[in-house]
Every structure is written in C-alpha cells, then in structure tokens.
Amino acid sequence: MIDGLLERVRRQKPLIHHITNQVTINDCANITLCTGGLPVMTHALGEVEEMVASSDALVINIGTPTPDQIDAMVAAGKKANELKIPVVLDPVGLGATALRTDVISRIVDSVEVAVIKGNAGEISILAGYGGSVKGVESVGRYENIEQPSCDAARKYGCTVVVTGAADIITDGKRLLRICNGDAMMGRVVGTGCMSASVLACFAAVEGDRALSSAAAMACFGIAGELAAKREDVKGPGTFKPALMDEMYNLSEDVVKRYARIEEVALI
Amino acid sequence: MIDGLLERVRRQKPLIHHITNQVTINDCANITLCTGGLPVMTHALGEVEEMVASSDALVINIGTPTPDQIDAMVAAGKKANELKIPVVLDPVGLGATALRTDVISRIVDSVEVAVIKGNAGEISILAGYGGSVKGVESVGRYENIEQPSCDAARKYGCTVVVTGAADIITDGKRLLRICNGDAMMGRVVGTGCMSASVLACFAAVEGDRALSSAAAMACFGIAGELAAKREDVKGPGTFKPALMDEMYNLSEDVVKRYARIEEVALI
Amino acid sequence: MIDGLLERVRRQKPLIHHITNQVTINDCANITLCTGGLPVMTHALGEVEEMVASSDALVINIGTPTPDQIDAMVAAGKKANELKIPVVLDPVGLGATALRTDVISRIVDSVEVAVIKGNAGEISILAGYGGSVKGVESVGRYENIEQPSCDAARKYGCTVVVTGAADIITDGKRLLRICNGDAMMGRVVGTGCMSASVLACFAAVEGDRALSSAAAMACFGIAGELAAKREDVKGPGTFKPALMDEMYNLSEDVVKRYARIEEVALI
C-alpha cells in the first residue's frame, strides 16, 4: 500500500518549510533530514511567502505562539494554498488556552490544510466534541476517537491524523489504523512535532494524503520500535538520537516487513 | 529526609510552565518529563496567565530576555502568586548586563518567588554583595557563599539554591549542603537551567521548599553521578542523553543510597 | 602551522557572544564549550552592546532573522568593531529570499567582519557571482569557488571560509584548503552553524584569521572524522553527541597528526 513512498521522499528531497515552536525546532529539522527531506525553519513575516514558494510542503505548529509568528503562519499558509503546496497543521495544546483556540480558528478560516495531526484531546476539541488538554498533553480517555476524526476530516476537507498507542488516519472516506510505534516515543519531548515533519515529507511527494500519512506514521513508528530495541538505548535520553539514526537507516524492505496498517470499516 | 518525594512527583505528574530561554528550552522540557512532571513552555502574553492557572509550578528563566517575554514573566508570576502556585526563578547572567539587573528587579518587585536558583556570582549579586558574572558564568571564588544565600533568602522570603561543586540550599532558617553531582555537569550547556525545572517539579508536590529543593538537587546530582560513570559516556555529548536516562530511571532506593545531604549550622 | 592554537583557546576560554538562529542555538553553545570557549547567547537589543563588550568574539548568524534580532546584530557588530572584537558572520540561506540579501547588505555595510563562513552557494552569491540556495542548502556545483572566495575576501577585507567536502579559507592573499571532515557532518542540522562558533573561538585568540580559521576547521573536521569512526555511532542521531565528545577530547597531538591543511597557489 505504501510501497516506494519512502524511496520517493529520498529521491525528491522535498524542502519542508516549518513555522514551529522554539522547543522542538531542532528535532523537527533533524528528523526531516533523517527522513530524506531538507528542512528550513523561518517565521520572519518578511520572507515566509518567498520561502514557502520554493518549498514542497509547509508545517505549521502552534506550540509557542507569538503574534508575529501567527501572522507569518497565515501569510505562508495562504501562499502555500495559492501554489498548491500541502500544509500540515499541528494544533499543539489546542484546548489548553483561549489563545490557542483563536489561533487555530484564524488558521483554518484562512488556510486550507492538507493534513491536521494532533493527539486525541486536540482532535476531539477541533471536531467540536470537547476534550481536555493539560499543557500540551491529552488528558482522559477517548474511546471512540474515530468519529471526531472523520468529522474533522470532512469539516476541513483534509486528512486527520490522531497520534496515540495506535494512530488513526482518515480523510473522511477511508479510515486507517497504524499500529507501529513504541511507548518510549511518549517519554521524549517533541516526537509529536517530529511526526508532523515526517507527515510533511511524505505529503510533499504523494497527493493521496491518507496514503502519504499512513506511510509517514508507519515509518516513524517503525523507527521508534527499532530504536527502543537497541541495546545502547537506556532511557529517553539515548532513545532520541537512536530514533534519528533508525529513521535515517530505514529501508523500504524494513518498512514492508514491519508496517502494521489496518483499513477500518467506514463510519 | 527526602524519602518519598520523587515518587510523589511521579504520581502527581505536576505540570510545569516554563518561561525560559531559547538555548536550553528543549533540555528543560525533557528533564521535566524525565523527572516525572509534564512540561509546557509558552511566553505568549495572551495566554501565560491561563496556562499558569492550570499548572502546578512556574519556572522563570531570564537567559535570553526580550521585552515581550519579560512582560509575560511578570504577568504569569503574578497570576501564580494569586493562585498559590510556586514560582522558581533562575536569574541567568545576573550581573553581566544592566538589563538583567533591571529584569530581575522588576520580577522580584512584583512576584513572590518560592525558590531562587543561581550560581555563586548571581546569588552574591542578588544579595547585594557584588560579584562577577562573565556571560552566564560565575567568575572568581566565593569562599563564604552561605552568608549571601541566607541574606537573599530572608530578603526575598524564599528558598535560595546556589549551584556549585556542592549545592547550598537555605530558606533563611536552615542551611543544607548537597554534595551530589559530577564535574561533567558543568561541561554541558543547560544543566543549571535543567536543575530549575527539577526544583519546580519537587516544589509542586512539597510545600517545604528547603526540603523539596534538597530532594531536587540530590536527585539531579545523583543522576549526573550515575551518568558520568557509564561506559557509553565518552564526553559531554554522550553525557547529556545519559543524564536524561538516569533521571528517568532514578528510583527511591537509589536516591536513598546515594543522597548526600548535610545540615549545616545556622549562620 | 596551527600548533598550539587549540591549547590557547582552552587556556584563554574566550567568551563567545552569539546572535543566532533558534534552530541550532543549543548546538552552537555546546560546541563552543567543547572547543574550550564560553558561550553566551542573547539578542536583546537592550543588552547586546554591553554583552559584546565583555566578550572575546561575536558570532552573527541570520538563520531565523526577525526585525528585532537584525537590529541587535547591527548594534552588537558596531560595538564589537569599536572594541576590536572579531566578528564572525554566517549568512545562512543567503540567496533563498530577498530579506536575507537585505539583511546581509545591512550588516556588511555597517559592520566590519573578520570572518565570513558560508557554503559555496552563499559565498558565490555574496561575491556577486550568483548561485543557488534552496532553503539553507547550497544547490548545484561550484567548480571554481576559489575565485569568488578571494573576491569576497578582498571586497570585505576579511577572511572567507567556504565549507564543503574540502573547506576553502582565504584572506585574499593566501588560500588554504582543509581536507578534514566527514560526510556524516552534512547529515546533522547545524554543523555549519557550529563551525562558525569554532571559528569564533579561534579568532578570539589569534589575530591571523586565515590561520585561526584553518585551525578551527581542521579541529572541527578531525572531531567529525573521529566521531564518524566510533562504533557507538549508528547514524546522524548518535553522531551529533559523538562529535561534541570528540571536540571536547581533542588534543594538540591528535590535531598535529590528522590536520590536512594545504596551501594553494594564489589566484
């Protein structure tokens, strides 16, 4: 199903423009490089439109939102839309503060996004189901996150990716479940942000965004599994560099062997 | 003396709101997670009060101060005071420039801090004894840092933590000396900043801040000792991830065995 | 030729003030420490002149340029000139957007730089030969980068360092080629930025900037070679901490044995 997509990323080396938070900006740049893309990170209002114009995908992450940066997100997003460059949105901490609700409203009102990636709390809130986010963590249990995901996908005309023990991906027509990954990924700050970078690398090279997202989440999850198994990994500190290594070393063969993608009945 | 505090952090998973510098923001988030807390980092004036309201402690670090960020520190600090949420202040580079003196004056004039952590130069300057800070490093020797520490603790009605070969902790009534840690911690940028995050995790779960600070510094120091002894650590680069690992893997038993906390006669 | 320079850095511990991008700011601070300098990173307009006044070199890196930061770069650069403190300029992504061209013009028009370091695309553009930069990566091949390098060195009265498979260093009078380094350095975000920090450490202790730059690039390259050979390095993730380790562990003897510096005929 996702055969050849990783190779396509590596052959095309898509330039991924990020407008992202200060916390994980370095990790996002490095995982982009390890996936096979080229990262560029700038939120200067004076150049984001020009920068996105030479990019192959745009990641918008609201982790540490400041007024100037939000303006840059909207400007870059509109330019990306104009040029048919896919936009991946990471609504970090949506629900934690009113500001984040406003920022996301402003973005989705003016920018057409290709992929929205969030945790269960963020996506549930985005879909209008309510939810609870403490800081940037999803709180509580979401037994049926499939329904809000499909609703959000249809509402925004995009692909929705919900990260969790299993990842849910839906474009409103199909629903995929990716069962790759390791619990250690939740012990490192920024694996959520990094997954948006990986999603953007694949969205840049494949127009079917449910498919590109499945490939991205499977590859990233497999890299996490391989890293967690390494003998030199002794905790979250050594896990992070190992995750980068494994993403860089990932081959189509390994992806084919370990990808666990299930098609789930439509809702 | 500090029995059970680490377990309490891990059970309560306190949300630690950081308003901090761009240099070590990722390290602070990761060490918070490894300690057992949940990190959130934002300095957007439009949301810091709301964010701190759902937090269990606030870290203010002036490492890379910008006007907007300073306003956010004061606003968040006041809200934290109103809600009795402990504030940990890291006066990075105090004494290096007039701006930093002004920023710290502004913060301590309007915010009641629970814990102030600094190096000997910063604390000596804070207490009015003068001192020398080059960049963000303490310069010179401070033979009797206990006196300025006690003075600062009494003046600001808080607990003062002075990091160094041995850490000094005082609330103006008691004085503790923590003899854990390893010289390698000084070879990595950000271990000072990280210690403020660890202090906040413990301050969030224990109201006696001399005690919570002793637990924090002992745990962090022990993690440093364990990391420095690892065979896979070959220098500062591999030491940092090992430090994260060891903080994550730390158990009450290990803390009990290795903690070196001395009560020193009052001044 | 470069004997004793590394030891001089370690003895003098120069304070290196960075005004740099958000992506690699932590890496730049850590490599400075591993080289033997002390890092300080601030771009607050209210303090950069005072901070640079107590520094031994200034690094200006335009990776994530914002209006306030650019003002701070110019103010700090002018103060550095006044006090004869060497300025190292990293024109990241020059050529990618009009903003970056403007920023670099503004800096070189008002600040005398001691060392300019860039990739082949950036230096070619700087010298007026044109070139192609996609995001922050040099695109295309530059068969004869020596000529633009010499032109730029003469035009700006500085030493120019062009990073690549072999690094080119010229002050317009001499031309050196450094053949140290490893391809893995290109698989990690920020090794270019880090090399500017290393260049600044050496420029702070040696007035002959072709020489100081040769020492810097040879040392950093050797550290990269040693890191790449380590058995615990399994990809870019584990390579980065190993690079830090090896820079920290580097000795004059190892530098003497492995440095590959060639003097090339003048153009």
Side-chain angles (χ1 to χ4, degrees), chain B residues 62 65 92-103 133 135, chain C residues 42 46-52 54:
Chain B
I62 67 158
V92 180
L94 178 63
T97 66
L99 176 73
R100 289 176 194 239
T101 307
D102 290 348
V103 169
V133 169
Chain C
T42 177
E47 70 169 358
V48 289
E49 289 167 288
E50 196 178 351
M51 193 63 92
V52 84
S54 64

Side-chain angles (χ1 to χ4, degrees), chain C residues 119-183:
Chain C
N119 58 37
E122 290 157 357
I123 297 300
S124 181
I125 289 166
L126 188 76
Y129 284 65
S132 183
V133 170
K134 190 181 178 188
V136 297
E137 294 284 323
S138 182
V139 172
R141 298 182 68 83
Y142 297 82
E143 298 294 337
N144 175 14
I145 192 61
E146 286 82 1
Q147 191 61 56
S149 307
C150 277
D151 287 5
R154 287 166 187 160
K155 183 172 173 191
Y156 299 107
C158 70
T159 293
V160 166
V161 179
V162 190
T163 54
D167 304 314
I168 297 294
I169 296 172
T170 180
D171 56 6
K173 296 186 288 280
R174 284 165 303 166
L175 201 145
L176 303 170
R177 188 179 289 131
I178 317 293
C179 298
N180 292 110
D182 188 275

